[in-house]
Amino acid sequence: MMAIQVKNLVKSYGSIEAVKGVSFEVKEGEIFGLIGPNGAGKTTVLRVISTLLKINSGSVKIMDYDMEKDADKIRKIISYLPEDAGAYKNLTGRRYLEFIANFYDPEECKQMIQKGIEIADLGERIDDRVDTYSKGMMRRLLVGRALMTNPKLAVLDEPTSGLDVINSREIRKLIKETAKKGTTILLSSHNMLEVEYLCEVIALISGGKIVEEGKPKALMDKYDADNIEEVFTKVVHQ
């Protein structure tokens, strides 16, 4: 089964057409990368898939649920980590995870919170207030929040933003392990090495349209490129 089916998606903000007939599919359990320059429309697509924006035309299905009819059902099985996400600063890290977990099955709360704490890996700082956290610590907490719910689909926008090399490596490892356990990952990142390492399939969006799609190795071969960064540059500027 396809985890995500996007067909001829159009989204406008007033007279500005941000997404212009985008179509792509993501298989269950796959790590799929949606990449593009700033203003290309990728964040709009991620927000649509996360049920935060209504579309003008086209269709979106998540695990065979129709976005227009079944948005509430979709919200129960997905998790979204925006690039600019924050947490309640007056709570401790632990209390924040507890607050989020309480929206889910009460029987799974304790296990969910423990998983979030393990993913965040903040040690004793998990019991400090969020407003004392560095950007990297905040990001680890938010990644923990996004993945602790065992979502069928995790939409991750710049998951390692603000993290140092060691923490970034840990989060990438965690994303791969999460996908192996059955969670589908839709990922966006400006770090092309990260995209190349994590993603099985990549779609490149520019000017509100998908301009290229394929497996990283196939794209590098097609554009005679040494890495995905070179592919990205050649496609966007051709």
Side-chain angles (χ1 to χ4, degrees):
M1 183 170 78
M2 289 294 172
I4 303 173
Q5 293 171 290
V6 177
K7 293 182 180 178
N8 301 316
L9 169 61
V10 174
K11 174 61 185 173
S12 298
Y13 298 99
S15 61
I16 299 170
E17 198 171 55
V19 180
K20 306 172 182 178
V22 161
S23 300
F24 64 90
E25 293 184 330
V26 181
K27 295 177 183 175
E28 268 197 277
E30 191 169 62
I31 303 179
F32 187 99
L34 183 66
I35 62 174
N38 291 332
K42 62 184 183 299
T43 297
T44 295
V45 173
L46 297 183
R47 287 175 177 165
V48 166
I49 289 171
S50 302
T51 75
L52 297 177
L53 293 176
K54 289 193 174 293
I55 62 178
N56 294 90
S57 63
S59 67
V60 179
K61 284 189 174 183
I62 307 296
M63 304 293 175
D64 272 348
Y65 288 125
D66 184 86
M67 185 69 70
E68 295 290 299
K69 301 173 186 173
D70 305 311
D72 287 342
K73 292 178 181 177
I74 291 170
R75 290 185 191 112
K76 292 178 180 177
I77 60 171
I78 69 171
S79 185
Y80 175 43
L81 175 64
E83 181 181 2
D84 55 357
Y88 295 112
K89 294 183 177 181
N90 62 327
L91 296 179
T92 66
R94 186 188 301 273
R95 291 292 184 194
Y96 172 69
L97 295 178
E98 289 173 352
F99 172 75
I100 298 298
N102 282 326
F103 287 100
Y104 294 84
D105 188 340
E107 293 181 6
E108 297 178 9
C109 263
K110 284 188 178 179
Q111 186 178 350
M112 198 178 284
I113 293 161
Q114 189 55 40
K115 183 175 180 180
I117 289 169
E118 289 171 3
I119 292 169
D121 195 24
L122 294 172
E124 294 180 357
R125 295 297 305 276
I126 193 70
D127 290 310
D128 290 344
R129 280 169 52 121
V130 170
D131 61 6
T132 68
Y133 286 1
S134 66
K135 184 179 179 184
M137 291 170 68
M138 171 76 84
R139 202 63 181 168
R140 290 192 71 97
L141 180 69
L142 292 169
V143 171
R145 185 269 296 164
L147 298 182
M148 73 179 186
T149 60
N150 298 315
K152 289 186 177 294
L153 168 66
V155 181
L156 307 178
D157 194 358
E158 303 288 345
T160 61
S161 175
L163 298 182
D164 60 27
V165 173
I166 294 171
N167 284 326
S168 293
R169 282 171 61 94
E170 287 299 312
I171 294 300
R172 288 181 199 127
K173 181 182 176 184
L174 182 69
I175 290 170
K176 281 209 164 191
E177 289 172 354
T178 301
K180 284 178 183 176
K181 292 175 183 174
T183 296
T184 305
I185 308 285
L186 176 59
L187 173 87
S188 184
S189 176
H190 284 111
N191 184 334
M192 294 299 111
L193 295 177
E194 179 168 279
V195 169
E196 188 178 325
Y197 171 73
L198 285 174
C199 299
E200 296 156 79
V201 180
I202 297 166
L204 208 160
I205 186 169
S206 183
K209 299 178 180 179
I210 300 291
V211 292
E212 190 58 274
E213 183 178 347
K215 294 182 181 295
K217 179 67 167 63
L219 291 175
M220 287 186 278
D221 289 344
K222 179 177 178 179
Y223 289 93
D224 191 26
D226 293 328
N227 51 54
I228 288 299
E229 193 172 76
E230 279 188 31
V231 173
F232 178 91
T233 303
K234 288 181 178 182
V235 172
V236 170
H237 293 293
Q238 70 180 359

